[in-house]
Amino acid sequence: MKKTLAALALAAAAALVLSGCTDSAAPTAPTSGDPDAGGELRSVRVAALPIAETGALWAAIDAGIFEEHGLEVEVVPAQGGAQAIPALLSGDIDFAIGQPMGPIRAALQDLGVVIFSNYASSLAEGTDVNSVVALEASGITSAADLAGKRVSVNSIGAAGDLTIRKAVDDAGGDSSTIEFVEVAFPDVQAQLEAGNIDAGWVPDPFRGLIVSAGGVDVVSPYQATIPGLTVLTNFTTQETLDSDPDLVADYAAAMAEALQYATDNEDAVRQAIATNLDIPEAAAAAITLPNFTPDLGDAGIETLAALAVEYAYIDAEPDFASLIQPQ
């Protein structure tokens, strides 16, 4: 079977990245009617990064939106979208929220991973939701200055380092001389201060915390290369989509409502960020929020894949009709 070897290799890494995924054989509770009429909620496990964008999910859970759709959501922390894929394939989680490069690679390996909605997109202008930051003492002030430096991303081989390479080359630097280092977002500031990296790619709240402490906001690589590029997408497996379409439909409907709620209730999102990331409310209030949207129409996934081919991250573009199936 074509997916067997790749699936086994991916599964071996799952326990290192996802917490709480210990019972892949545990059955999902069956749908049993309208929760308002006393029916049981159906449990679903969702992998998500511990970053500000997840505030929309946390806020929607607090608001009872998923319960209204008959779902009880358990959020499982993950470091990146690609690292969540092993847990999807093994059945440890039902859905994942992450960058699209993981699903793109999975599609090229015929692993049956499907992006079924957007979640959040970057901002086409103004202060963006993620950027490369450095300490003032580093002397790094522009994208071109990143050439020859050690730069961290949360997951090597994804949209972060890919768009950084493009931004550096467009600015006249040589991106082939960058040494990318994998560092979890919460650890970037400490690694900068220890001198282990020269710059780091981070979203809020970590970007804001580093810059407010005297750091330099060097470049927003998404905005510099593919303005409005999706930050995070919702994905699952083709097997789940085929075997349990009602679950996917219910989750997709709840997610669309959740993202609209987040757009209309920024204060609730910021409160959820402060609570779940354990940061001061003042810091959460200063966070730049993304465009929360389920719309995949202008998410830039095809453009990202073409850029990945250009930089030899992948050998070919995936079959987008199989990869992207809006629900």
Side-chain angles (χ1 to χ4, degrees):
M1 188 169 169
K2 191 172 182 180
K3 67 174 68 175
T4 303
L5 291 178
L8 288 173
L10 286 169
L16 300 177
V17 183
L18 293 172
S19 65
C21 292
T22 57
D23 187 8
S24 61
T28 302
T31 303
S32 51
D34 185 350
D36 292 334
E40 292 183 12
L41 297 176
R42 188 167 190 184
S43 298
V44 294
R45 308 187 85 211
V46 181
L49 283 73
I51 58 176
E53 283 83 354
T54 305
L57 176 62
W58 292 323
I61 292 171
D62 292 341
I65 290 173
F66 288 91
E67 289 187 2
E68 292 171 2
H69 289 264
L71 303 173
E72 181 178 32
V73 174
E74 177 187 353
V75 181
V76 181
Q79 184 170 322
Q83 290 90 339
I85 289 174
L88 274 177
L89 296 176
S90 66
D92 280 328
I93 59 174
D94 303 289
F95 303 101
I97 300 170
Q99 290 184 35
M101 275 302 298
I104 287 172
R105 281 200 170 90
L108 291 171
Q109 297 179 66
D110 195 25
L111 294 180
V113 174
V114 175
I115 296 173
F116 61 89
S117 85
N118 200 358
Y119 176 91
S121 290
S122 58
L123 306 180
E125 56 186 20
T127 301
D128 205 359
V129 295
N130 60 56
S131 66
V132 178
V133 296
L135 300 184
E136 186 175 9
S138 71
I140 298 172
T141 60
S142 69
D145 293 336
L146 296 173
K149 301 298 193 296
R150 287 169 57 87
V151 180
S152 74
V153 292
N154 69 312
S155 180
I156 292 175
D161 49 296
L162 176 58
T163 55
I164 290 169
R165 288 187 187 279
K166 175 64 172 171
V168 169
D169 289 337
D170 287 350
D174 182 358
S175 71
S176 69
T177 64
I178 299 173
E179 181 183 353
F180 285 104
V181 181
E182 199 164 283
V183 176
F185 291 137
D187 299 330
V188 169
Q189 185 167 10
Q191 293 299 306
L192 285 170
E193 293 171 350
N196 295 328
I197 56 175
D198 301 300
W201 178 66
V202 285
D204 275 332
F206 312 107
R207 181 198 66 83
L209 292 172
I210 293 169
V211 172
S212 65
V216 178
D217 200 330
V218 179
V219 62
S220 298
Y222 283 16
Q223 200 171 87
T225 58
I226 311 174
L229 175 65
T230 180
V231 178
L232 299 167
T233 58
N234 284 286
F235 50 94
T236 188
T237 63
Q238 185 68 56
E239 182 178 355
T240 299
L241 193 59
D242 292 340
S243 64
D244 204 342
D246 288 344
L247 175 64
V248 179
D250 288 344
Y251 181 81
M255 180 58 70
E257 186 176 334
L259 297 175
Q260 185 60 56
Y261 175 81
T263 300
D264 297 338
N265 296 273
E266 286 192 3
D267 288 346
V269 174
R270 295 182 189 281
Q271 183 59 58
I273 293 169
T275 300
N276 287 276
L277 293 182
D278 193 23
I279 63 173
E281 291 186 10
I287 287 172
T288 299
L289 295 177
N291 176 24
F292 291 114
T293 175
D295 186 8
L296 286 165
D298 56 357
I301 296 173
E302 293 89 344
T303 306
L304 181 68
L307 189 64
V309 172
E310 178 184 342
Y311 277 79
Y313 276 46
I314 54 178
D315 295 328
E317 295 182 23
D319 176 3
F320 292 113
S322 297
L323 172 63
I324 303 175
Q325 300 182 44
Q327 301 296 306

